[in-house]
Every structure is written in structure tokens, then in C-alpha cells.
Amino acid sequence: LIGGGPPDGARIPGCLSCTPLAYAPAANRLHRGRLSRLGPMGFVCQGRYALAPIEPTDAEKYVNLQLDCMEQTYDPIYFDVLGESFTARHRAERNEYLEDFHRHLASPTVRGFFAYEVPGWTPDGGLSCAVGTQIDWEKPVGLALSLCEPSSWELERADDLSELPAGTRKLTHLYTLDHTHGTGLGQALYDSVIYPDENSYLWVMAENERALSFYERLGYQRNSIEFEARGIWAPGHSVRYARILNP
């Protein structure tokens, strides 16, 4: 039974729509019986999804979801140009994705959450649908991760990048499976890793119009920095968006 709540009404920082997810024995066993250093668990979207911290042991689960979401997003965009699956090339570099995951999770600045569907959720039932439910913790439907550190390729191109204020947080990843689109999950995941009052930026493929619209609604502005993607990211174009609240 999932009920009660974490100590002192703890909630996912920055997640305004989040309702605490209790630290019931069953949930604790699934998450190694302790509160992750990345934060507590919680319900979002009126109880439709549960957010839980990404742990260092979640590499395979993380990369599996990341690549599946990329396939749903990018293959339709680039297939006509490439004549083949865009994501197939990324799956061939799976070990690099796993290395990136471990490097990200080792950072002291990392924030990261998975999203899981609550089985049997209905709009009328809301949070009550979580009572006694059995969430499949091996099948996340979304993820978000942010850091206060640039990527290695950003450092290589530092001379070409305009400087951002010190401490600006980078939204490194935000992915959701396409059947969750329009439910508010992307917003909830975003809120869990980017706080309302902090400077932040991200890189997004210019051809991903859905993502561009989403970030522009959140107040991000395109700052004219665009690169032609290299290697397995070709033929896309990567653009930087920033939301600077405290110059």
C-alpha cells in the first residue's frame, strides 16, 4: 500500500504539481530502502505518473529509454534524408551512452528523475488510483536530467559560444515516450530538474519543432548559436536556447 508521505512533507524540488509519494516498505525495497541523494519520489499530473530519482545503478534502464524516445522523435524527422533509421547509428554507440550516464551521475550538481505510469489511473480517480497499485519500476516512460557542467564538446567549441552567467544550469536530457505527449509529463519532469528562479540553457535539434515550441513556451530564447551536427547526429542542426532570469 502506498500512503502517508515522506518526512516533513518533502516534495520534489521545483515540481509545483508534485504530491509526495510515501516511503512505504514496498516502495523503499524497490529503491534500495533509502532516500536517494537526488531527491524524494512524488506523484505528478494528478497522480497519473510517479517520479523517482535516477540512481547510479540505472544505466541500462536510462539508456534504453533514451534511445527509444530518440527513435520515436528523430526517425520520422530524418528518415527521408538518411534513407535509414537515425537512431540505429546511436544504438551502435550504446557503450558511449552508458559512459555518459555514469559521468553525469557522478557529478555533485546532478538532478535526475524517471517517470513511471500509475496502472489503472483515471481522471476521476486521480491520486486515489495509486492506493495499492503495483508500479513497474523497470519501465519508465520519461526522464529528465540537469547539470551545472558543460559537455566535453562544448568545451572544445568554447571560442564559438557566447558566455552564460556563472552557475547557469544545463538541461541535459528531457525525454518522454510519445504516448505520454499532451499529458503534462514533460512539464512535470522539467520542473523536477530546473527550478523556477534559476538560469538555464539547453541544446535542441532545430528540426524538432515540437521541442522548440515547448521550450519557447517556457521562456527560452534562441540565441543565434547553431551548429551543423557531426557524426551520428548528422544531418541535424543543434541550436542553443537559454532562459536567463538573473543576468
Side-chain angles (χ1 to χ4, degrees):
L1 175 68
I2 300 177
D8 301 322
R11 55 190 287 147
I12 295 172
C15 188
L16 301 181
S17 60
C18 179
T19 300
L21 175 65
Y23 292 80
N28 276 339
R29 284 198 299 273
L30 287 165
H31 287 276
R32 289 162 288 283
R34 63 184 177 84
L35 177 64
S36 166
R37 69 185 177 91
L38 298 181
M41 296 182 289
F43 290 115
V44 295
C45 303
Q46 293 75 51
R48 187 169 189 167
Y49 304 102
L51 300 194
I54 296 168
E55 300 280 2
T57 54
D58 288 330
E60 294 288 342
K61 182 165 61 173
Y62 188 98
V63 172
N64 286 343
L65 179 59
Q66 183 181 7
L67 291 171
D68 287 347
C69 290
M70 288 175 59
E71 181 173 327
Q72 292 181 351
T73 300
Y74 296 125
D75 278 19
I77 294 174
Y78 297 118
F79 186 85
D80 288 345
V81 176
L82 293 172
E84 62 180 2
S85 167
F86 174 86
T87 313
R89 298 180 297 177
H90 292 259
R91 292 189 186 278
E93 302 296 331
R94 181 182 180 84
N95 286 340
E96 290 190 16
Y97 277 83
L98 292 169
E99 291 173 5
D100 284 344
F101 171 86
H102 290 297
R103 183 166 54 253
H104 294 154
L105 266 287
S107 169
T109 69
V110 69
R111 299 174 192 155
F113 288 90
F114 282 125
Y116 301 86
E117 288 178 312
V118 173
W121 180 88
T122 64
D124 291 337
L127 281 168
S128 66
C129 295
V131 177
T133 193
Q134 297 293 322
I135 293 173
D136 189 343
W137 300 107
E138 295 306 314
K139 293 183 178 180
V141 296
L143 63 84
L145 186 141
S146 71
L147 300 164
C148 284
E149 301 169 13
S151 302
S152 57
W153 72 267
E154 290 178 281
L155 295 175
E156 293 171 0
R157 293 188 168 187
D159 291 342
D160 300 321
L161 300 176
S162 58
E163 189 173 352
L164 295 170
T168 299
R169 179 164 285 270
K170 177 182 180 180
L171 178 62
T172 307
H173 295 144
L174 176 58
Y175 288 108
T176 61
L177 292 173
D178 58 8
H179 74 271
T180 70
H181 292 174
T183 65
L185 179 58
Q187 178 75 60
L189 280 165
Y190 171 86
D191 288 341
S192 73
V193 298
I194 300 293
Y195 300 168
D197 59 349
E198 64 186 348
N199 296 333
S200 56
Y201 78 101
L202 57 96
W203 291 93
V204 61
M205 302 303 281
E207 296 80 10
N208 189 352
E209 295 180 359
R210 181 184 180 89
L212 298 183
S213 296
F214 175 77
Y215 293 122
E216 288 170 1
R217 289 197 303 271
L218 291 174
Y220 285 85
Q221 296 182 348
R222 187 168 178 168
N223 54 14
S224 75
I225 296 177
E226 179 174 333
F227 293 115
E228 184 174 345
R230 301 172 178 173
I232 60 176
W233 285 95
H237 295 79
S238 185
V239 295
R240 191 173 78 176
Y241 272 67
R243 190 186 68 166
I244 306 303
L245 304 176
N246 306 293

